[in-house]
Amino acid sequence: MKFNILNRETVYQGRAFNVQKVHMQLPNSKRRHYDLVAHADSVSILPIDPQGNILFVSQYRLGADQDLLELPAGLIDDGEDPLTAAQREIREETGYACKNMRLLGDFYLAAGYSSEHMFVFLAPELEASYLEPDTDEFITLKKIPFKDAINLVRGGEIKDAKTMAAFLLALPYLTG
């Protein structure tokens, strides 16, 4: 089926995303507009310390109106590649670095209304490497043993979709 984008108009411009009204011609030749959150691409990192703990961050999320336990993540800056963004984000959010990150996979977070595409990295063999966090982030670092972390995901206590997806992608590397 052929969908044709006729034009886009930005109806809102924000710090992390824009909202566009996208005018399309549908396969049946009818025309319709859709709302699209034009969002920067992003990264998420599953960091593992030498004791086998997963490093999580807890932070307030407006969409949930509560603190969520999730893996470190962030936006890819203009001109930055996903690996460089992941290396920066892990330092900003955890105070650790990893020289041998492995790309586990990538996915769209909510393709029905958003263009955000996320890359997920596994970060074993961490070493201390502090980088000043963003001024608008209030993060608490939590180290959770792998088995406990899996139980939190399976038990529905982790509500963050990117964290659940990252664990699914990482399972072959974490369980042998």
Side-chain angles (χ1 to χ4, degrees):
M1 286 196 263
K2 187 144 172 75
F3 290 82
N4 290 316
I5 296 175
L6 302 172
N7 70 344
R8 298 171 187 250
E9 63 181 286
T10 299
V11 296
Y12 170 79
Q13 191 163 355
R15 180 185 63 81
F17 63 86
N18 298 329
V19 177
Q20 298 176 347
K21 184 179 280 191
V22 181
H23 299 273
M24 300 190 66
Q25 184 169 1
L26 307 177
N28 62 5
S29 297
K30 293 188 180 208
R31 293 180 182 213
R32 179 173 173 194
H33 80 269
Y34 294 88
D35 297 326
L36 175 69
V37 176
H39 196 287
D41 289 344
S42 56
V43 295
S44 184
I45 307 101
L46 197 153
I48 306 169
D49 74 10
Q51 293 74 39
N53 296 307
I54 307 296
L55 275 55
F56 285 89
V57 294
S58 177
Q59 62 184 321
Y60 176 80
R61 293 300 196 182
L62 179 60
D65 191 25
Q66 63 181 305
D67 286 354
L68 292 182
L69 188 62
E70 56 190 58
L71 292 174
L75 300 178
I76 299 173
D77 292 338
D78 285 337
E80 192 175 41
D81 64 84
L83 177 59
T84 302
Q87 291 169 333
R88 174 181 46 77
E89 285 293 338
I90 193 175
R91 291 179 62 212
E92 287 177 0
E93 295 196 1
T94 71
Y96 290 92
C98 177
K99 292 181 181 172
N100 61 339
M101 282 190 186
R102 173 183 292 194
L103 179 65
L104 294 175
D106 59 287
F107 51 85
Y108 289 94
L109 285 157
Y113 64 87
S114 174
S115 63
E116 185 177 2
H117 187 237
M118 178 168 274
F119 299 85
V120 178
F121 291 87
L122 180 65
E125 302 172 27
L126 300 177
E127 56 188 51
S129 181
Y130 182 77
L131 183 63
E132 191 69 33
D134 292 335
T135 58
D136 63 344
E137 290 184 317
F138 301 91
I139 295 173
T140 303
L141 183 64
K142 297 191 176 191
K143 297 179 180 185
I144 300 175
F146 171 71
K147 280 189 170 187
D148 294 345
I150 289 292
N151 288 335
L152 290 173
V153 172
R154 288 183 177 146
E157 295 175 62
I158 291 182
K159 302 291 186 191
D160 180 61
K162 72 181 175 301
T163 297
M164 291 185 275
F167 267 89
L168 181 63
L169 291 169
L171 277 177
Y173 302 96
L174 301 176
T175 57

